[in-house]
Amino acid sequence: MSIAAVLVALAAVLVIAGRLSLFPSLGGLFGDETRDRTGPAVLKSIQDMNRYEGAVGNFQVVVDLEKDAKLLPDAVRGTRTLYVGAGTVGAYVDFGRLGEQNVTVDADRSKAELRLPHATLGEPALDPGRSYAVSKERGLLDRLGDFFSDNPASEQAVQKLAVQNIADAARDSGLTQRAEKNTTAMLEGLLRSLGFQQVTVTYT
């Protein structure tokens, strides 16, 4: 074997050892360098929003996800990730389909009655600035797999679980009731400022 081939093989071994933290002191020599070459964001479309967001809930969940191989010990194959997911869910009343049949005004314009659809929950929005992995345990084979991947599937799995748990918590939080209450208060204040003395808002 030539000297050049030996040097190339030695360099490859040192790089892999550095990635596997076998020689921590080599981290500065073979460490990764990240450059952001992302171009500017491009606006693809604009959608008009015909709804009033009456309430927003802030949620946090701790996801503990463990994956094991049936025939291999955890030290060889398996992962366990502890992840804190933080995000928001909005609750809104949709005004987009309202028509004349949803609003009743008396002759002297002193009374107004509005019939609105019930508030709906929006999609959970995970906040990357407040979400983070607390710990991640990996078997040897999984660590080798992460060596060749910049976006391990396990990260997507815990994020998906975090979003699902936040959505479940939002459904049980009373957020839609709060949104309807705030929407009613907003409409009452608006219509009374226009001269209406009695305002009734119902949800069907």
Side-chain angles (χ1 to χ4, degrees):
M1 181 181 294
S2 66
I3 296 178
V6 173
L7 291 177
V8 171
L10 179 60
V13 171
L14 289 175
V15 170
I16 294 175
R19 290 295 295 271
L20 296 180
S21 301
L22 298 180
F23 302 110
S25 61
L26 296 178
L29 181 60
F30 295 101
D32 294 332
E33 182 178 356
T34 302
R35 292 187 179 90
D36 184 3
R37 302 185 186 277
T38 307
V42 178
L43 177 64
K44 303 296 290 186
S45 64
I46 296 177
Q47 180 180 357
D48 292 332
M49 306 301 291
N50 297 315
R51 65 190 192 187
Y52 178 74
E53 191 171 62
V56 177
N58 291 282
F59 299 87
Q60 186 178 79
V61 61
V62 178
V63 177
D64 188 351
L65 179 63
E66 184 175 2
K67 293 185 178 181
D68 297 321
K70 293 182 178 179
L71 302 179
L72 295 174
D74 292 345
V76 177
R77 182 66 186 270
T79 62
R80 182 177 181 181
T81 304
L82 194 63
Y83 179 83
V84 175
T88 59
V89 179
Y92 64 89
V93 176
D94 189 2
F95 293 160
R97 297 183 180 181
L98 298 183
E100 294 181 359
Q101 70 277 8
N102 297 100
V103 180
T104 301
V105 178
D106 67 349
D108 60 0
R109 296 182 61 82
S110 62
K111 298 180 182 180
E113 181 179 353
L114 293 85
R115 293 170 292 279
L116 307 177
H118 282 291
T120 303
L121 292 174
E123 294 294 329
L126 199 63
D127 185 353
R130 297 188 295 126
S131 303
Y132 56 93
V134 177
S135 64
K136 184 175 182 180
E137 301 173 3
R138 298 168 295 172
L140 178 61
L141 295 180
D142 298 280
R143 296 176 70 182
L144 287 172
D146 288 351
F147 176 81
F148 298 102
S149 174
D150 291 331
N151 188 20
S154 60
E155 294 182 7
Q156 298 178 1
V158 293
Q159 290 172 358
K160 185 177 180 179
L161 276 175
V163 169
Q164 183 59 54
N165 279 275
I166 288 174
D168 293 341
R171 282 192 290 270
D172 298 331
S173 66
L175 198 59
T176 53
Q177 291 86 343
R178 175 68 66 87
E180 291 178 4
K181 179 180 179 181
N182 293 340
T183 301
T184 298
M186 180 274 294
L187 291 172
E188 287 177 346
L190 175 63
L191 293 176
R192 286 198 174 102
S193 69
L194 296 176
F196 290 91
Q197 299 175 4
Q198 182 177 339
V199 179
T200 303
V201 181
T202 57
Y203 296 89
T204 59

